[in-house]
Amino acid sequence: MNDQTRAKLDGMQRLALFVGVAGLIGLVIGFTQNPHQFFQSYLFAFFIPLGFALGSLGMTMINYLTGGFWGLGARRIFQAGIRTIPFMVLLFLPLAYAMLTHPEAAAGGDGHGAGSWWLYPGTDHAFAEANRKVFSPEKELWLSGPFMVGRAAFYFLSWIITGFWILKNAKKYDETGDAKADGMTRLISGPGFLFFFLTMTFAAFDWAMSVQPLWFSTMYGVIFIVGQGLSTLAFAIIFLSRVKHLEPFKHFAKPNLFADLATLMFATVMLWAYTSFSQFLIIWSANLKEEAPWYVLRTSHGWQAIAIGLLVLHFALPFFLLLMRRIKKDASFVPFVAALLIVMRFVDVYWQVAPPFQPDGLSVHWLDFAAPVALTGIWVWYFIGRLKAHPLTSPRQELQLEAALGGAHH
Amino acid sequence: MSSASENIQPIYGYLAEYSDTEPLIAAAKAARAEGFQMMECYSPMPVHGLPEVLGYKNNVALLVLVGGITGMLVGFSLCYWVSVLQYPLNIGGRPFNSWPAFVVPMFETTILFASLTAVFGMLALNGLPQPYHPVFNVPRFDEATRSRFFLLIASSDPKFDMVKTREFLTRLAPLSVDEVPH
């Protein structure tokens, strides 16, 4: 890394820290004023940095399985993303607190009905009793606070082990050219991806779906996982566009790399639309009283505006923009599409988890802006730190890139 | 050769042969700079950057987009015609025009029309199938599927000249220059 690159990364890191700390101050003020709102805002905002971190893990594994220049060009970004997973444990602590404790006052007045809880009704025995017909003791045990936190520990542990095991072998291969280490990265990635898909599905059930514990959808986890891949690709595009003129990025952050990453982003946009619509179509077709209210809530009381917004800005507009190869290659335009998609990832998760907290219809709180800013800022700060702590390139990676670029960059 | 009539050229064109992609691109660039328009290149594999040198514009993408949108509208019209106009059924009290249920058929017709447009649009634009092409009259041209790269300048080019074009191609250092009979 030369001085110019270091100065640029330092500058970006300082900016991220400044923004993140400003947001965190907002969060602390919000917590003292309205802890309920704090947890509700924190919950939805948490998922996007989590998506950057876990999406990096998923994309790394996919790239080891499929190969492709896109993963080689973005490899260091994904690797630094994997290194932020332990940091996500720290950011998860407020949610663990919300799982394990209960608000002091009975929250009946907040429209919660019987019982009291911060985010997850299933953690409250009174709620379980009141809904016993559809809320079995087994389900109550599954959704109890300590078990939820225990599972979260297991998920994080499995992601950290998978991620750092891959990183260890990738590093070994980079430094020694050991073919066995290279083989190991692929050997871990196959089962690792399967296991990641299962654990993240359960994590989405635990942390997001259970804000409405009487509703269930098996498609739910997939929507989150696809969203994580989408967020990560969008983040990689934005990050590369900021450093594309610097060593060593300038040797490979060329129109072809942006086109490849944007094509994958396009694919994840379609996959997100496909999974989201499939879930809707299945529930709309069945029209059962156990399932349909979830969508009724999200398409009325002001939430319909967000639903339409998602359809247009999370799917239609980026879909048509990313159809055009000219835009996908354009490192000065495609980051705006990526930024739009990251914003829409926040909106999508907000639309998924926030409605039950707002019984009187959509009412956006200022903490709903502070929380995403705080968590994204602080995550980017930590991410750049991880990126700087390891070599941005290696002779072997340069050779691989050279071979992948082939005659394309003469 | 000197008996060439004024309107019809005696040959189809000249074919220059190269052993690699880079001299082929260089030759195509030089011919383009010289002002030739009726050119074609033949190679065993796709050559990166060559379409741009030849000034080739691919209109298939636009056709596919139009085909896809047409397919989507056809799909919706079909569903609407069946479910609302021709055979309205009350299914669980839903409106006849239940668009969520139409999305899957619409998606399918979009893909169907787009892919058929891609295939037939490609065929229409590139002129395939073409049972006869003069370039196969050159015996060496067999190598175009294996190890040789060819640049053709057709006699239909306004700048084409039996003597000068041959001289020009010879200057571009090919392995050989062949006349392509009609």
Side-chain angles (χ1 to χ4, degrees):
Chain A
M1 183 175 359
N2 67 16
D3 293 346
Q4 215 185 351
T5 310
R6 184 169 287 281
K8 174 77 179 174
L9 290 180
D10 286 344
M12 283 162 72
Q13 200 183 13
R14 265 197 307 277
L15 179 68
L17 183 65
F18 178 75
V19 170
V21 167
L24 281 180
I25 292 170
L27 278 183
V28 171
I29 295 170
F31 180 71
T32 57
Q33 284 182 351
N34 185 350
H36 266 106
Q37 182 63 48
F38 163 81
F39 284 120
Q40 291 160 6
S41 301
Y42 193 95
L43 174 64
F44 96 89
F46 171 77
F47 281 101
I48 306 312
L50 181 77
F52 294 149
L54 294 181
S56 297
L57 176 61
M59 282 296 157
T60 299
M61 291 194 282
I62 289 178
N63 185 244
Y64 277 125
L65 294 173
T66 64
F69 170 58
W70 60 272
L72 214 48
R75 179 157 292 169
R76 290 296 192 246
I77 296 174
F78 293 160
Q79 288 182 342
I82 292 174
R83 291 193 171 93
T84 65
I85 298 176
F87 186 63
M88 291 314 296
V89 177
L90 194 66
L91 294 186
F92 181 77
L93 292 180
L95 296 183
Y97 179 84
M99 288 167 184
L100 292 171
T101 63
H102 297 270
E104 291 279 322
D110 295 356
H112 281 147
S116 99
W117 54 84
W118 292 114
L119 293 169
Y120 304 108
T123 60
D124 188 73
H125 183 63
F127 175 88
E129 281 297 325
N131 296 281
R132 192 49 87 195
K133 269 187 193 158
V134 287
F135 206 84
S136 64
E138 292 80 13
K139 189 162 177 173
E140 190 188 347
L141 176 66
W142 180 259
L143 290 178
S144 66
F147 198 9
M148 291 249 276
V149 173
R151 281 200 303 279
F154 170 73
Y155 304 146
F156 273 114
L157 196 65
S158 77
W159 299 330
I160 290 171
I161 289 174
T162 315
F164 281 79
W165 196 13
I166 290 175
L167 288 180
K168 191 180 140 220
N169 282 288
K171 190 169 184 228
K172 192 169 171 200
Y173 176 67
D174 250 0
E175 285 168 357
T176 64
D178 182 1
K180 231 175 86 187
D182 191 36
M184 271 306 281
T185 55
R186 285 191 290 277
L187 200 64
I188 300 165
S189 293
F193 191 75
L194 188 69
F195 195 66
F196 164 69
F197 221 90
L198 287 172
T199 45
M200 187 54 224
T201 298
F202 278 99
F205 291 171
D206 284 2
W207 305 343
M209 197 165 88
S210 69
V211 295
Q212 274 176 286
L214 303 183
W215 181 83
F216 45 85
S217 161
T218 46
M219 189 71 101
Y220 198 80
V222 183
I223 300 173
F224 271 75
I225 295 167
V226 170
Q228 293 180 339
L230 173 55
S231 310
T232 303
L233 290 164
F235 177 78
I237 288 173
I238 295 173
F239 186 83
L240 280 170
S241 76
R242 309 310 303 159
V243 297
K244 66 175 193 296
H245 54 287
L246 297 168
E247 284 282 352
F249 302 102
K250 67 178 179 191
H251 300 296
F252 53 86
K254 290 167 188 255
N256 275 347
L257 180 60
F258 286 98
D260 282 3
L261 290 171
T263 303
L264 283 167
M265 189 166 75
F266 175 65
T268 50
V269 165
M270 288 198 291
L271 204 52
W272 172 84
Y274 170 75
T275 49
S276 301
F277 181 75
S278 300
Q279 180 180 281
F280 170 73
L281 184 63
I282 289 164
I283 288 174
W284 177 87
S285 301
N287 203 17
L288 298 174
K289 74 173 169 32
E290 294 87 2
E291 297 172 346
W294 197 85
Y295 277 106
V296 173
L297 176 61
R298 281 160 184 77
T299 49
S300 58
H301 295 93
W303 289 99
Q304 67 272 32
I306 295 196
I308 292 167
L310 284 171
L311 195 63
V312 174
L313 297 175
H314 199 317
F315 174 62
L317 180 67
F319 175 85
F320 279 103
L321 288 176
L322 293 173
L323 265 183
M324 285 174 268
R325 192 167 172 80
R326 200 169 19 136
I327 288 178
K328 283 188 280 198
K329 282 198 318 197
D330 187 346
S332 58
F333 187 79
V334 77
F336 288 101
V337 184
L340 169 73
L341 282 166
I342 288 180
V343 171
M344 292 319 290
R345 284 308 306 143
F346 279 109
V347 176
D348 181 38
V349 177
Y350 188 68
W351 183 77
Q352 306 254 7
V353 303
F357 303 137
Q358 300 172 15
D360 302 323
L362 173 63
S363 67
V364 181
H365 193 268
W366 63 267
L367 271 169
D368 293 332
F369 295 97
V373 167
L375 296 189
T376 309
I378 209 81
W379 183 86
V380 171
W381 165 76
Y382 190 77
F383 163 84
I384 298 178
R386 294 298 85 207
L387 189 71
K388 286 196 305 191
H390 297 268
L392 289 178
T393 184
S394 70
R396 190 164 314 278
Q397 205 198 359
E398 277 166 21
L399 279 178
Q400 283 177 300
L401 278 165
E402 186 77 16
L405 283 163
H409 73 148
H410 286 294
Chain B
M1 284 225 195
S2 55
S3 62
S5 71
E6 281 178 11
N7 294 327
I8 301 164
Q9 298 282 1
I11 61 168
Y12 179 75
Y14 283 120
L15 193 64
E17 179 188 3
Y18 295 92
S19 62
D20 204 353
T21 53
E22 276 161 40
L24 176 74
I25 293 177
K29 269 186 189 156
R32 181 102 179 145
E34 188 75 9
F36 289 108
Q37 289 154 20
M38 305 303 285
M39 301 193 303
E40 189 59 275
C41 288
Y42 305 93
S43 66
M45 77 270 200
V47 179
H48 190 84
L50 195 56
E52 290 79 5
V53 173
L54 290 171
Y56 170 73
K57 237 181 131 269
N58 188 344
N59 290 320
V60 176
L62 187 65
L63 278 180
V64 172
L65 178 69
V66 174
I69 291 172
T70 310
M72 193 176 78
L73 296 176
V74 167
F76 180 80
S77 309
L78 177 69
C79 290
Y80 190 88
W81 178 71
V82 170
S83 308
V84 180
L85 302 176
Q86 211 55 34
Y87 208 82
L89 278 180
N90 183 335
I91 301 168
R94 291 187 186 80
F96 294 133
N97 182 16
S98 284
W99 66 266
F102 298 172
V103 168
V104 175
M106 278 162 72
F107 174 76
E108 299 294 346
T109 50
T110 305
I111 302 298
L112 177 71
F113 276 59
S115 36
L116 289 180
T117 315
V119 174
F120 292 107
M122 177 269 291
L123 290 177
L125 291 179
N126 67 12
L128 288 174
Q130 197 170 14
Y132 175 78
H133 195 284
V135 81
F136 288 97
N137 291 333
V138 179
R140 312 176 70 96
F141 188 70
D142 286 357
E143 289 294 314
T145 60
R146 289 191 290 274
S147 56
R148 287 290 186 266
F149 302 77
F150 292 92
L151 169 67
L152 174 94
I153 296 183
S155 60
S156 50
D157 195 289
K159 271 206 67 156
F160 187 84
D161 181 278
M162 280 302 286
V163 180
K164 282 184 192 158
T165 302
R166 182 174 195 119
E167 280 173 8
F168 170 75
L169 276 175
T170 311
R171 280 204 303 279
L172 297 178
L175 298 176
S176 68
V177 177
D178 283 293
E179 278 184 12
V180 183
H182 277 295

